[in-house]
Amino acid sequence: QDVTLNIESWRGDDLAIWKDKLIPAFEAKNPGIKVVFAPSAPTEYDAALGAKLAAGSAGDLITCRPFDKSLELFKKGNLADISTLPGMENFSDVAKAAWQTDDGKASFCVPMASVIHGFIYNKDAFDQLGIKVPTTNEEFYAALDKIKADGTYIPMAMGTKDLWEAATMGYQNIGPNYWKGEEGRAALIKGEQKLTDPDWVAPYAELAKWKDYLGDGFEAQTYPDSQNLFTLGRAAIYPAGSWEIGLFNTQAQFKMGAFPPPVQKAGDTCYISDHTDIGMGLNAASKNADAAKTFLSWVASPDFATIYANALPGFFSLNSTPVKMEDPLAQEFVSWRDKCKSTIRSTYQILSRGTPNLENETWVESANVINGTDTPEAAAKKLQDGLDSWYKPAK
Amino acid sequence: MGSLNIENVKKAFGPVEVLKGINLEVTDGEFVVFVGPSGCGKSTLLRVIAGLEDSTSGRVVIDGADVSATPPAKRGIAMVFQTYALYPHLTVKNNMGLGLRQAGTPAAEIDRRIGIASSMLSLEPYLSRRPAELSGGQRQRVAIGRAVVREPKLFLFDEPLSNLDAALRVNTRLEIAQLHRRLKATMIYVTHDQVEAMTLADKIVVLNAGKIEQIGGPMELYNSPANEFVAGFIGSPKMNFVDGGRLGETAKTIGVRPEHLTVDAKSGAWKGTVVHAEHLGADTNVYLDCEKAGLITVRIFGVYNAEPGATLYATPDPAKTYRFGADGKVLK
Amino acid sequence: MGSLNIENVKKAFGPVEVLKGINLEVTDGEFVVFVGPSGCGKSTLLRVIAGLEDSTSGRVVIDGADVSATPPAKRGIAMVFQTYALYPHLTVKNNMGLGLRQAGTPAAEIDRRIGIASSMLSLEPYLSRRPAELSGGQRQRVAIGRAVVREPKLFLFDEPLSNLDAALRVNTRLEIAQLHRRLKATMIYVTHDQVEAMTLADKIVVLNAGKIEQIGGPMELYNSPANEFVAGFIGSPKMNFVDGGRLGETAKTIGVRPEHLTVDAKSGAWKGTVVHAEHLGADTNVYLDCEKAGLITVRIFGVYNAEPGATLYATPDPAKTYRFGADGKVLK
Amino acid sequence: MSTATRSLPRTIGAHAILLTYTAIALFPVVIVIVNSFKSRAAIFGAPLTPPTPKTFDLIGYTTVIGQGDFIHYFQNSLVVTVASLFFVLLFGAMAAFALSEYRFRGNSLMGLYLALGIMIPIRLATVAILQLMVASGLVNTLTALILVYTAQGLPLAVFILSEFMKQVSDDLKNAGRIDGLSEYTIFFRLVLPLVRPSMATVAVFTMIPIWNDLWFPLILAPSEETKTVTLGAQLFLGQFVTNWNAILAALSLAIMPVLILYVIFSRQLIRGITSGAVK
Amino acid sequence: MAAAPKRPFRWHIGVFLAPAVLVYTAIMILPLAGTLQLSLFRNINQSQVFVGLENFRMLFGDPNWSVNFWNALRNNVWFFIIHMLVQNPIGVLLAALLSSPRLRFSAFYRTAIFVPTILSFVIVGFAWKLILSPLWGVAPNLMDLVGLKSLFTPWLGKEQYALTTLSLISVWQFVGIPMMLIYAALLSIPDEVIEAAECDGITGMSQFWKIKLPLILPSIGIISILTFVGNFNAFDLIYTAQGALAGPNYSTDILGTFLYRAFFGFQLQVGDPNMGAAIATMMFLIILGGVCVYLFLVQTRLRRYQF
Ligand SMILES: Nc1ncnc2c1ncn2[C@@H]1O[C@H](COP(=O)(O)OP(=O)(O)OP(=O)(O)O)[C@@H](O)[C@H]1O
Ligand SMILES: Nc1ncnc2c1ncn2[C@@H]1O[C@H](COP(=O)(O)OP(=O)(O)OP(=O)(O)O)[C@@H](O)[C@H]1O
Ligand SMILES: [Mg+2]
Ligand SMILES: [Mg+2]
């Protein structure tokens, strides 16, 4: 009797990859286990999953959001403890941190991938305008000015309508260079730094300057608009997450390159956001726990990592075993791991547990800053006030 | 089966008292006609009998049982509504057949009865039409047909012939009389038509402003009305009422029917001037302005030529004058 | 102002031809009564005149102008619908006043006219009621009132008095006649009531099955009907038709009105047996089964006692018999 | 009514207003449908132009057909919608009749109770409903959806229908009672046919949210066998990548059945259904 | 009907009510009641603890909640006002035009105007975002055609316009609902009453105001209350067009989106069913208040006419 495992996921995008590559690969090795990948729309995923878990009709395998969302599920007993799952040894502590209890004692999801922020640019446009890839802020703005002066291209493709684009591709993208990556993030959690400190306000000040380089009516520009604007060749620079690579490769008719967030001045250490983004856990109520564990172990294996990372360039494996990737743009992104210091997004761990929710507020404020409806200082103060209202860092 | 007792029934709509204590006994198989001026409560009384309207007080007893708690469907009645209340979405045939079908009457029997009713009412060509496609009179006939096919023990007719032409009216009237004899059903019939009332009724009930003025056989009411109201209401044209004082009588009012006055060009009791003459063919109504009696109507059989302005003398038949007291009651 | 010409108007509802080519001329200020059996097309013709229904062919000309494209509102008419069509949400007063208000009549004038109309129709106590709170006859009076207050040049009345009691009917009839004189308006009036037709009409139009049978003054129709249909339709009870052959006459049918027969217990033209006697008070209808003439009706003035089964002789007034040919036309 | 009752300027005015509004109503829809036949670059490059040979692209439709069994999804949607509609209309009309026709103690409270459902988004009750379905083994069946939609549609149906049923002439129902009809026959044979236009209205109002619902199919019946069209189309809404061609194609296709249902129901919107009943 | 002491029990009332009441109670009311009662509890260490009205105190006392709540309520009121002022009059107007007898193409118009109502929110959101987007040029080009280009702004992205714009989109989508209801109501007006009005000289607009409108007043009441209920429960359009955070800067946040975030959570925000239930309870009470006002004060006073 075959066992059928259902995977809950928000990654409808990956349906084809699972169906055509990953599942056949697994099923070939594990006869008797059938796997069904059943994604729901990303906007509904958390709510739907929560309901299904509560009522006991959720799938066996659960795709995990990083940090608190999954931690909450684990605390409720919906996710099984898989600390001892064969294969978990393939991951570094950093990689596992996103799906562990605060004390690090229990792991509940197998890390699958992280994403890296940076900028993708239109190489043809840069060549045509004679622009060198910027490494410092100065060069960055010089490049933008030049593109703007030329007028063929919109300097930068970003909109604030969807809010998260401003926060994730803007603030979290360039921020680590100012707050010094993990160092600043940890200090913030400890309460040693405040969001109103200059290091945290500075990225907002930069964002405020971006306004001039965005397309007309960027206030109403949505995320897909930005993607289209760039891939249709109408914009020169795209503040990106590495996940765009796959899509851009198929859609853009021009050569692309990527550069990490520019540093303040030449010679500064560079920091990148290398964010643990997706994992997979086991539904504690699964009736097929054994088969599911077999599957999870396979997910933790280098085999999976290789297929996954190559099928989805831009989702970088967290496996300790290095994965060989074919895509040049993906290689470019992952190469920054060696040059720069990695960090995760500042708001994800611990700080978004209360009300108001720091992450949500960061979205809103980042957009406000770019729209010019809030000054960087005002934005930072709002965020800090919100955080203060519930977050009492253990001294 | 089919007897009806109405015991002190009152009905008020809010502050308006419409029925002011009606007592009436109808024996099984009787044909009772309700007459009365427009708005006097005839329809309301029918609706109370049918159970469509609650009486404010009083009892309705059908066949010896108080039916206050019996729903209309269980009272074994058929009713022709003054407003017809046809089923607009059903054909004429189904309008008539619905009740029977509900009662589980066999299809053949239903068809038979609809056949009889529709030929009696000359509705055959319209059986598959809907009410909206019928003329006023045709609708009214459907309403009659719907009641008739059910052959219940108690019929309630609310002005069922008002929209029919004279010929059809006579026919239908005869058919109803025949139906009455055949079914031995009790019938309660509201009409404004004197001829209908006189010809159909075993008993006429004269209603006025929510009260019964008089109950009696048709000729009884015609010949011996209990009061001025009944005297004036039964008979058309209306009885002439003359101020008793002016005639030197002790009675407050003297009544004489137009048909009980004779006219003469030369001499008579009351001298008057012709105001207007109405030629109805079979008879003529002459309006006379009399010195002694005021404006009176005289009904003359056949064609009578009277020019307005001419002088005529009218003479009442002394055996057929009525004398009314100050309270309107007839003085014997 | 107020003349009306109907030129070869036809009207079909799908396959059913309801008006089969009507030609009629109505001069200004005339009072025309339409009579005809139920379903013959009277209401339809009124609706065509009003502009509520398109004629299939033919023209309606009001005051010399073809009004086919003129909306009802612009035709200067008022209509009393057979089904009343009152505004259910308005009080009696507003039902009557709405049209005037729309026309911008000053409030005082509106009140005055409503006052006149409602006193003429005895509606004063009900002015603030809504139609649902009125009796059938009261509703009908509101419908009349609504038309009357507008004082247009052309009135269309569709059986306006059918639900009124005799007294009220006489009154209202007189009021309408008066209104006619006062306004000098043209009136077209549908009725089934012989008395109304005879007394009101300048001209009666007899319709049958969508065609005009005869047009003429009331007494003209009564005295010289053009054909059997008109002869039978005008006059109530209906004219007796006797098979000419049985009487040894050349005419196909011999017609004699019930009121033109005299009865005698001893001798007469036609020997018959009394079948039934209807006592109407002022007169008596005796149904006789005659050896020669078949079943005939005799109308006798006053009370006449005739026991069913008794033998009576009926004699027609030879000056007042009608002779009809095989085609139904009167033979002169 | 006759032609004479129509005045030309007024007719022209009416057509002008209606045409204008029709344009406003259809323009965005046309944009969606036109663009569903174009390649992605053309959609965003020139959304206003109709597909040219160069930009004409059925990629959306081929993706939709290729991805999953859309015919089957349509069938599921149809079954769920029609079955729910049937129960909503039947039960809703019955309850509305009881509320509008009879005076009984607690009538208005019952009316209020039955209206509560439109005041709280039923989504909030998801967990409890899902638990109920899990307990009764109805998860991943169309029955579960039909039950939920029936419950969800009832309040509105009762609310609207009871208002319309109050307009049915009492004399008519009374004529039925006198005719010996039972209350049930009066309801089914007299009242229901006479409120046809409002039944059609309620049917349409009920059908749309059912057809377009994403949430309950996702929760109660996400399996391949029970997937509905809307849920199927949702596949193309990705986290970062939305396949607009496919979404537009899938949703354009999904308009058709509802539109057909709408046209069917709106034919019940007929004039003069009660004329000739009373005078 | 007859009110007599010994009236037989009217079973049929029960039979008519039973199916609806049973299904509705089991699948809607009980689960919803179960959810709403969560507002009196709070999750402390994974167990629900009864806290009385504490959640409500927090909702109104804690600025982190109350500011958002009042903001959402304010926006919602505006959302509702726009629907009442724009959607319903347009709906009534269209219905009135459509119901003119013998209007040609009326079935076409009726269907066309109703099409937006049958669309899913995904399409509506997509279409309008595309049209209003400053990037792809639909709206700017169209406005250019009529020389109004200078008036164009990215409406959906500006705090001061976004809510109004979305309300209008929602109006566009849902005009079909009042239109159809009023249309159905207009159809039930007997032809003869209208004919009488025609003869009386009451035509056109005054016919509408004086005859038709009073007769369909109960239906107007219904669409008003349905608009009220629908608007205060609205969620999907804002959610698909602006996201759960109802940007920019919460300017399009209405009670529905606020509730959704609280109840189901969003992004990193973990859903809080207890606070969610408290908000839902407040929404419920607001709507219930409105409905009660309607049912007991307005509806009972509306006159109905039987045809
Ligand atoms: N909509 C319709 N469709 C088909 N036939 C119709 C329609 N309306 C009326 N008729 C038919 O047309 C004929 C004439 O109707 P009309 O209402 O004019 O009669 P009428 O003379 O007024 O009769 P009544 O005295 O009974 O009111 C009738 O036989 C009727 O059945
Ligand atoms: N719902 C109501 N509210 C108030 N008064 C009413 C209501 N229904 C009827 N009436 C009044 O009750 C009285 C009697 O009405 P009913 O219908 O019984 O009269 P009727 O004798 O049938 O008259 P008609 O001969 O005109 O039909 C009338 O004066 C009428 O105005
Ligand atoms: Mg009456
Ligand atoms: Mg007629």
Side-chain angles (χ1 to χ4, degrees), chain C residues 14 25 39 55 77 88 114 136 144 146 155 157-158 169 213 232 238 251 265 267 313 317:
Chain C
E25 206 163 310
S55 57
I77 49 168
I114 292 179
I144 301 171
R146 183 173 63 179
F155 278 98
F157 291 105
D158 201 348
R169 194 181 289 209
E213 294 279 348
K238 217 179 128 169
S267 65
Y313 294 85
D317 177 347

Side-chain angles (χ1 to χ4, degrees), chain A residues 110-296:
Chain A
V110 178
M112 283 167 71
S114 70
V115 292
I116 297 175
H117 284 298
F119 294 84
I120 299 178
Y121 63 95
N122 183 331
K123 222 179 213 162
D124 295 355
F126 271 43
D127 291 349
Q128 186 192 330
L129 299 175
I131 297 172
K132 230 167 52 18
V133 175
T135 54
T136 65
N137 257 342
E138 204 177 325
E139 288 169 9
F140 182 64
Y141 288 109
L144 287 171
D145 284 331
K146 195 158 180 185
I147 303 166
K148 189 176 179 186
D150 172 70
T152 319
Y153 299 95
I154 293 164
M156 186 149 48
M158 190 171 89
T160 55
K161 165 116 195 333
D162 286 351
L163 308 180
W164 72 272
E165 209 185 338
T168 314
M169 321 285 236
Y171 190 66
Q172 300 289 4
N173 186 354
I174 61 170
N177 273 333
Y178 296 87
W179 62 68
K180 304 197 172 48
E182 282 298 289
E183 192 183 318
R185 189 176 78 87
L188 193 63
I189 293 173
K190 290 210 194 81
E192 289 159 4
Q193 289 186 9
K194 299 257 173 220
L195 288 164
T196 44
D197 291 350
D199 285 354
W200 292 90
V201 179
Y204 276 133
E206 296 300 318
L207 287 186
K209 290 192 224 160
W210 285 17
K211 181 177 184 180
D212 298 335
Y213 303 105
L214 304 179
D216 260 356
F218 65 88
E219 296 98 330
Q221 179 178 330
T222 62
Y223 170 65
D225 286 343
S226 306
Q227 290 179 316
N228 284 317
L229 209 55
F230 182 72
T231 53
L232 292 172
R234 284 171 55 182
I237 298 178
Y238 181 90
S242 54
W243 63 81
E244 310 282 11
I245 294 171
L247 176 75
F248 283 13
N249 279 340
T250 62
Q251 293 190 340
Q253 307 292 318
F254 47 84
K255 286 211 281 300
M256 288 177 292
F259 58 88
V263 293
Q264 278 157 294
K265 48 186 193 306
D268 282 359
T269 326
C270 66
Y271 295 86
I272 55 166
S273 163
D274 182 359
H275 187 70
T276 43
D277 191 45
I278 178 166
M280 187 175 289
L282 167 63
N283 180 354
S286 168
K287 298 198 176 60
N288 309 309
D290 289 339
K293 277 187 180 161
T294 313
F295 185 81
L296 282 179

Side-chain angles (χ1 to χ4, degrees), chain E residues 4-300:
Chain E
K6 47 189 184 222
R7 192 208 312 269
F9 188 74
R10 291 176 294 171
W11 285 106
H12 49 268
I13 298 182
V15 174
F16 280 125
L17 282 172
V21 171
L22 287 181
V23 173
Y24 168 81
T25 306
I27 304 198
M28 200 146 180
I29 290 302
L30 293 180
L32 279 174
T35 305
L36 286 194
Q37 54 106 20
L38 285 178
S39 64
L40 302 176
F41 292 79
R42 194 172 283 175
N43 185 342
I44 295 174
N45 296 325
Q46 306 301 334
S47 65
Q48 296 287 339
V49 180
F50 183 81
V51 293
L53 295 179
E54 190 56 23
N55 290 325
F56 293 93
R57 210 190 52 73
M58 182 143 105
L59 181 62
F60 292 107
D62 179 349
N64 285 325
W65 290 98
S66 65
V67 169
N68 279 327
F69 179 82
W70 295 118
N71 173 53
L73 184 60
R74 216 173 20 250
N75 288 338
N76 223 147
V77 170
W78 180 237
F79 194 67
F80 172 60
I81 289 176
I82 293 205
H83 279 81
M84 282 304 280
L85 293 184
V86 183
Q87 172 189 284
N88 293 347
I90 292 184
V92 173
L93 172 77
L94 293 173
L97 291 178
L98 283 176
S99 70
S100 20
R102 300 238 197 142
L103 181 84
R104 272 165 203 257
F105 313 121
S106 70
F108 164 74
Y109 289 134
R110 205 175 58 211
T111 310
I113 293 172
F114 202 80
V115 163
T117 312
I118 62 179
L119 299 182
S120 77
F121 290 98
V122 181
I123 290 212
V124 174
F126 172 81
W128 280 102
K129 278 195 275 185
L130 185 74
I131 290 170
L132 295 179
S133 168
L135 300 174
W136 317 113
V138 181
N141 288 353
L142 285 180
M143 294 184 69
D144 208 8
L145 282 182
V146 287
L148 291 175
K149 176 127 195 226
S150 56
L151 289 184
F152 181 83
T153 23
W155 286 295
L156 285 177
K158 297 274 196 179
E159 276 180 48
Q160 62 270 46
Y161 302 125
L163 182 62
T164 309
T165 311
L166 280 166
S167 312
L168 292 175
I169 294 176
S170 167
V171 166
W172 170 83
Q173 185 178 8
F174 289 119
V175 154
I177 302 257
M179 179 190 84
M180 194 150 162
L181 251 174
I182 297 297
Y183 185 71
L186 285 172
L187 289 184
S188 68
I189 298 180
D191 288 344
E192 274 173 346
V193 172
I194 302 300
E195 287 175 350
E198 290 281 344
C199 285
D200 250 359
I202 300 151
T203 53
M205 282 309 277
S206 51
Q207 190 178 81
F208 179 77
W209 288 112
K210 292 182 180 155
I211 310 287
K212 292 179 175 168
L213 192 69
L215 293 177
I216 59 167
L217 222 46
S219 303
I220 303 258
I222 285 215
I223 61 168
S224 307
I225 196 67
L226 288 184
T227 309
F228 173 75
V229 172
N231 285 168
F232 278 83
N233 264 327
F235 160 73
D236 300 77
L237 180 67
I238 306 267
Y239 183 65
T240 34
Q242 304 295 84
L245 286 184
N249 200 16
Y250 299 112
S251 62
T252 55
D253 202 17
I254 56 175
L255 291 170
T257 42
F258 178 50
L259 165 67
Y260 182 87
R261 284 200 308 275
F263 194 92
F264 292 107
F266 174 68
Q267 192 61 12
L268 298 190
Q269 179 183 344
V270 175
D272 179 346
N274 303 111
M275 280 310 287
I279 298 169
T281 307
M282 285 320 299
M283 285 170 65
F284 169 65
L285 291 178
I286 292 172
I287 296 173
L288 183 67
V291 172
C292 284
V293 166
Y294 170 76
L295 280 183
F296 297 114
L297 293 181
V298 181
Q299 199 188 37
T300 47

Side-chain angles (χ1 to χ4, degrees), chain B residues 294-309:
Chain B
L295 186 71
I296 59 169
T297 315
V298 181
R299 182 165 172 213
I300 302 160
F301 195 66
V303 180
Y304 186 93
N305 285 320
E307 287 303 306

